[in-house]
Every structure is written in structure tokens, then in C-alpha cells.
Amino acid sequence: MYDLDTTSHPRGDGVRDLTLTDRWNTPLGKPNGGYILAAMLRGLGEEIKGSDPLVAAITYLASPETGPAELRTSALRRGRRVQTGEAALWEGDRHIAQLVASFAGRDGGRTHELGTPPQLPAPDDCVDPRGQGLPDDGIFDRVDYRLAARPGWADGAPNGDPTVELWQRLAGGREIDLPALALLCDSYAPPVMELGELASMTVQLTVHLHRRPEPGWIATRLTTRHVVNGFHEEDCELWDEAGNLVAQSRQLAILL
Amino acid sequence: MYDLDTTSHPRGDGVRDLTLTDRWNTPLGKPNGGYILAAMLRGLGEEIKGSDPLVAAITYLASPETGPAELRTSALRRGRRVQTGEAALWEGDRHIAQLVASFAGRDGGRTHELGTPPQLPAPDDCVDPRGQGLPDDGIFDRVDYRLAARPGWADGAPNGDPTVELWQRLAGGREIDLPALALLCDSYAPPVMELGELASMTVQLTVHLHRRPEPGWIATRLTTRHVVNGFHEEDCELWDEAGNLVAQSRQLAILL
């Protein structure tokens, strides 16, 4: 479903048609923001014929609905090493989201890693949240999640620590490409729920895509450290099973 | 000079004229990226009549020159709580940078801080880098820096730890407004220099502006943890003297 649901069809002049399906809906009944980002990033990349996506910055402007949508893309600059474009997602006369993304080849160049991946039990030794008090349709049908323990907020007892580590993969183990990494940065419940805040809406999300993952699960670290006057940031790191950082993101969200 | 050098003049239809001065040049002889961001953010905010800037995501497309430039702005959405616009900076036929920024009132709402400010000696007990092997004109005339110790890279001995903490303020102690916070997120030398990488160029920078600072110096924490195939991220936190987080940023940059 990932391939089908993130496909857009060129209509010419940089405009593309797509359909936001209900298969990636959040528990609030709206298309997940990471799914929207993946579809927009994939369409923009095909349109401007960039290399691999490198960085994607999306601002969510209005609440999305499932159904037909239009992606209006344009190239901003085609450099030798980096290509940049932008894409606007429209549903009828509603401007849903605005994306600026850069694409680049990632061969060679220095690598120096100072971070460490989450320390999680093996996926088979973790909790599958489906049927464990968490929702079990929409995006929970499309992404497999494995948690070290059942989250406190699911039992009405937020633990006060807005940090979550979990495994993720596309349902059934489908290969995870770079746009899918962008999806996985914003596919799980916000860690701010462990502060008892059960409704949060992303305003802006920037994703750095570092490398294609090795096959397998993605170890995910989500954390919120700063809540200021009703807005909060949320950081995400994604690591593959070989222990490589594959993507990271930061978002600014508003408490509802 | 901050007020003068970040001013743009409306020409109508969302277009504004400005001049990038040489007073904020980096040691490479180009206008500093944070200065460009502050000028664009200020012009966009005046044009769309948004509330305070909340989040700014800029992509640098081409190397800037000093001289006259044009800011082309447009509103993307005017919501009740959040207003969003975009701005393109042009120099002649060269598209220099693209900004998407959101603005919002920040009154009330929950605050919950889990981070801690840098532990620095008092500014008067710190090193002023001017005349200490670091450059002493351009942006070093416009921003006051105070370091706990002379950086390793300034003596040709990078210390291997790409984390730097320092005090910053606008020259002479001029009040720091929210666009100036965006400037201070990208005003100092990149910490990746402590890995011996002396030339790095920002591709994309996202700044979260949390609150106006109390008067005084800004404690700044800069860190790079992930260098992958010639690209690196860099995080910044800015704290005021009262111990409040006032802004944070993350950028993706390319090693040259």
C-alpha cells in the first residue's frame, strides 16, 4: 500500500494528481502528517528529477482530508551537488501543506558518528501495541510498531518523561526507502503524551535523510524536551539494525 | 547597525528592497547566513503582518554577495493562531535563499522545561576572541562573543569534540529581538571545525523561536553529532541570562 498510496501522476507544468487514502489515518481520523510528507517528497523528487532526498522542511497549513489532492511543484535551484524544489499540496481551494526539499548524491565524503542507537530488546521480545489499548486500524495497519513496554498514557497514567524508544517498519517488512524514512519520523504517537497532553498538532517538521537503511526494523528515539507557552518541539532519530543513523527530524507542534 | 542592516522597504505586491551590507561578513567574505535569515524574517513579518515569529525554515540556494537585493514575499495561510508566509531572496537573476516562516502569539499555554542551560564562566571571566587568533572584522564587529577557552582549531589543534558553548550578544548590548535570535543561531564558527573541518556551508536551517530573551548575554550551545558522507547536522540552543531557553535550531551543512 505504501507504493500505491504515495504515488502521484504528472499532469504537466509541475502539477501532479494524487489521492490521500484513509489507510494512513491517525486515531483522530485524519491522514498522518508523515504519510503526507512522504507522498509530497516522492512526487517532488520525480518532478524535479533530483538525486536522493537530503532534507525536507514541511509546514502544515490546514487540516487534511482523505480524497483527491493536487501537488504543485517547482524547481528552485539545480546545483551540481544539491538540487532544491518546493511543492504545495492543495485540496480544492484549501492549501494543506508547503514543502521545500533538497536532493543530493551522497557518495563518499567524511563520516563521523558521535551518537548511539536506542538500546531496545529484540523486536520479538517487545510489545505489539495492536490490541494492547492502542488503536488498531489506520496507520496502525500500515506501520508495525514494537515497544519495550506498554506506554503509561495508554493506561491513563502518563509517566512524566516525554521520551519514547521503539521499533518501526512498514507493514509486513516492505523495504524502507528515503521518503518512507521521512514518514517514520512522524508516524508514532507524540512523546508529549507522557506529560498528559493527548492532543498535539504539528506546525513544522524538518527531516534530515542521512542514508538508506539496511533491511530490517528501524530503531526510533522520540523525545520532547522543551514545552513553551503551549508549543513544543519533538526530536526523532531513526537507526537501522546495523547501527547506522539513517534519519533525524525536529518538529514544532502546538498543544490542543 | 542591526536595525539598519536588516531593514527592507516595501515596493508593493509583497516585494521589498533591501541591501546586504558587508558589516556582517564571515571570514570567507560573504554575508553571514544568520544575518540573511534575520533580514528576510523581519521583512516577511512586516509584509504579512503576522504576530511574533515562531518557526523559520530557510534553504540557502546560492552564495550571497553584498549589495542590493529583492525580497519576494507571499502569505500562505492566515489562521487564527498561526500565520504562515514565504519569502524568496533574489540578487539580480540569482535566487539566493528561500524561507518559509510561521508567526503566532505566544501568550499562555503550558510550559515544561527539561533542558539545562550551558554552564559558562561569567562573560567578564571569558575570552574575547577578537585579537586572539580569530578574525576581528565583519561579523566579529557586530556580535560580541565570549568563550570559556580559546578554541583548539584556532591554534591548528582541533580538539576532536564538535561541541562549543559561548556567550553572544549584539555588539554593545543592543536589545535582542526574535529575528536577532535567529541570527545568533548561525553567527559563530561551526563546531565541526573541532574535527579539523574548516569549511562548511549551510544548506538548510530551521529555527524555533520560543520567547523574547531577558536583557543581557545569550548562552549558546552548538553541537554536531552526525557527519555522514560529507554532510553534517548542527544543533544550537540559545538561553537567556535568566535561564530560559529562548531559541533552538538545527541545520544541515555540507563540508567543502
Side-chain angles (χ1 to χ4, degrees), chain A residues 125-141:
Chain A
D125 297 329
C126 285
V127 176
D128 180 346
R130 286 167 57 90
Q132 289 285 321
L134 278 73
D136 60 1
D137 60 355
I139 195 166
F140 282 78
D141 277 336

Side-chain angles (χ1 to χ4, degrees), chain A residues 61 77 86 106 108 110-114 195 197 206 225-230 233 235 248-250, chain B residues 61 77 86 106 108 110-114 195 197 206 225-230 233 235 248 250:
Chain A
L61 301 166
R77 178 170 158 89
E86 69 176 344
R106 305 294 302 261
R110 182 168 180 182
T111 294
H112 190 98
E113 181 58 58
L114 293 164
L195 292 180
E197 299 288 350
T206 300
R225 292 162 54 81
H226 313 291
V227 182
V228 185
N229 288 339
E233 50 78 59
D235 275 17
Q248 61 185 147
S249 73
R250 179 174 288 163
Chain B
L61 300 165
R77 178 172 157 88
E86 69 177 344
R106 305 294 301 262
R110 182 169 181 181
T111 294
H112 191 100
E113 181 57 59
L114 292 164
L195 292 179
E197 299 288 348
T206 300
R225 291 161 54 81
H226 313 290
V227 181
V228 185
N229 288 339
E233 50 78 58
D235 275 17
Q248 62 185 146
R250 179 174 288 162

Side-chain angles (χ1 to χ4, degrees), chain B residues 46-169:
Chain B
E46 291 174 9
E47 198 67 39
I48 73 169
K49 298 178 177 60
S51 328
D52 287 341
L54 171 72
V55 52
I58 187 168
T59 303
Y60 297 98
L61 300 165
S63 180
E65 303 292 340
T66 56
E70 189 177 289
L71 194 61
R72 302 178 189 165
T73 72
S74 57
L76 297 180
R77 178 172 157 88
R78 300 180 194 276
R80 187 177 55 84
R81 289 193 65 180
V82 178
Q83 303 87 42
T84 301
E86 69 177 344
L89 183 73
W90 288 79
E91 293 189 329
D93 61 356
R94 298 175 70 238
H95 188 174
I96 303 298
Q98 185 80 7
L99 170 70
V100 177
S102 295
F103 300 78
R106 305 294 301 262
D107 296 331
R110 182 169 181 181
T111 294
H112 191 100
E113 181 57 59
L114 292 164
T116 53
Q119 295 300 306
L120 282 161
D124 284 351
D125 297 329
C126 285
V127 176
D128 180 347
R130 286 168 56 91
Q132 289 283 323
L134 277 72
D136 60 0
D137 60 357
I139 195 166
F140 282 79
D141 277 336
R142 304 267 62 83
V143 180
D144 295 331
Y145 304 97
R146 293 292 183 276
L147 309 175
R150 193 176 148 88
W153 58 261
D155 295 317
N159 67 23
D161 177 12
T163 298
V164 181
E165 296 185 345
L166 73 156
W167 296 105
Q168 294 188 94
R169 64 177 188 181

